[in-house]
Amino acid sequence: YTTHLLCWDLAGNSVALPPEVNILWPYSEGLAAARTDSGWGYIDRDGRWIISPQYTYAYSFENGHALVENSGEGYFFINPRGKPLTDPINTDHAQRTGEYWIFTGYKWDAGLVLDGNLQPVNSPLLHQGYVSVMDYGWAIVSTDNGILLVKGTESWPIPDGFYLYSNPMNVREHSVLLTRDDESGYEQWRWTPTTGELTTLPANDPDNSRFSLDPITGKAYQRIYSDHYDTIEIQDIDGKTLFRAEDCENFYGDGYPTLAGGNCLCDGYEEDFPTVLLSPDGKVLMKKYWEDGLD
């Protein structure tokens, strides 16, 4: 259980946090959703409570509104002053992808889709099967006629012989990663549904590679793990090496490198290991230890 949080921007400047905060979402539109033992609220960059902790759950602001949840009331949207913008939405799950909000029942079947203006969308996701939400407005839904890739009111059937990973890190701009197994082994392809183009990607061992998205640039990358996780290599999805980290256990502790704005961010989860931000040429842009903030 988190007892103390530290926050820095990518320039290494400390961001003030109220001491009672134990979970913090990224800042968006000047506010960050923050949780305390009393519930979720929103703080500004000076660490002041703009909306006091009061919600069961809270999402980040986007387009001037944020979704919050209260037990027994359901979900509803608020403005940056905490004023409700919609009536409660009674549903089991709520997920945002790009400009869309998807509300699903206990079987993860969509019953409501809203656009960025909080208006209902006549989406192919509605009243179908299991919905898996991806990034940038995309989602996958299983139907009686197969699996569809959906964005807004449009949909595309997955090509025969392929399948999609169900994790939410598949979208790279307007393409998705498709996979298939055949006699030659595990294959990865880039598929652009709007044009139907299929492009093969370098094959990697699915047990030792993980795809993620740079949260700032939105571009996909993959981490390739060696035996015993001694070496971690970050590649773009075309197989080009962006960063290579050796002796990871001794240098990074429990933190694994990720991309942030094209730079390599290594989280120092343990007391003796720093949080380090590296440029593509290996220059250290920021290095912070826990004690740097606790002083």
Side-chain angles (χ1 to χ4, degrees), residues 3 66 101-102 122 152 164 167 182 222 242 264 268 270 276 290 293:
T3 59
W101 281 98
I102 300 174
N122 185 20
L164 279 166
N167 71 55
D182 59 16
Q222 53 186 332
L242 305 176
C264 183
E270 299 179 13
V276 181
W290 275 94

Side-chain angles (χ1 to χ4, degrees), residues 1 18-23 34-41 49 53-55:
Y1 187 80
E20 64 270 23
V21 171
N22 49 49
I23 294 181
R35 194 193 77 170
T36 71
D37 291 341
S38 301
W40 285 84
W49 289 105
Q54 58 189 282
Y55 306 114

Side-chain angles (χ1 to χ4, degrees), residues 71-143:
S71 295
E73 296 183 45
Y75 295 93
F76 56 96
F77 289 90
I78 61 172
N79 68 13
R81 297 179 300 278
K83 180 181 178 181
L85 299 175
T86 62
D87 293 331
I89 301 169
N90 294 313
T91 187
D92 289 280
H93 312 284
Q95 299 177 84
R96 183 175 63 197
T97 171
E99 64 179 296
Y100 300 100
W101 281 98
I102 300 174
F103 297 88
T104 54
Y106 75 97
K107 292 185 177 180
W108 295 93
D109 51 327
L112 176 67
V113 177
L114 300 179
D115 64 17
N117 296 317
L118 307 184
Q119 297 302 307
V121 176
N122 185 20
S123 169
L125 298 174
L126 294 173
H127 313 298
Q128 295 289 336
Y130 177 88
V131 172
S132 178
V133 174
M134 299 166 69
D135 290 290
Y136 294 99
W138 303 88
I140 314 166
V141 62
S142 57
T143 73

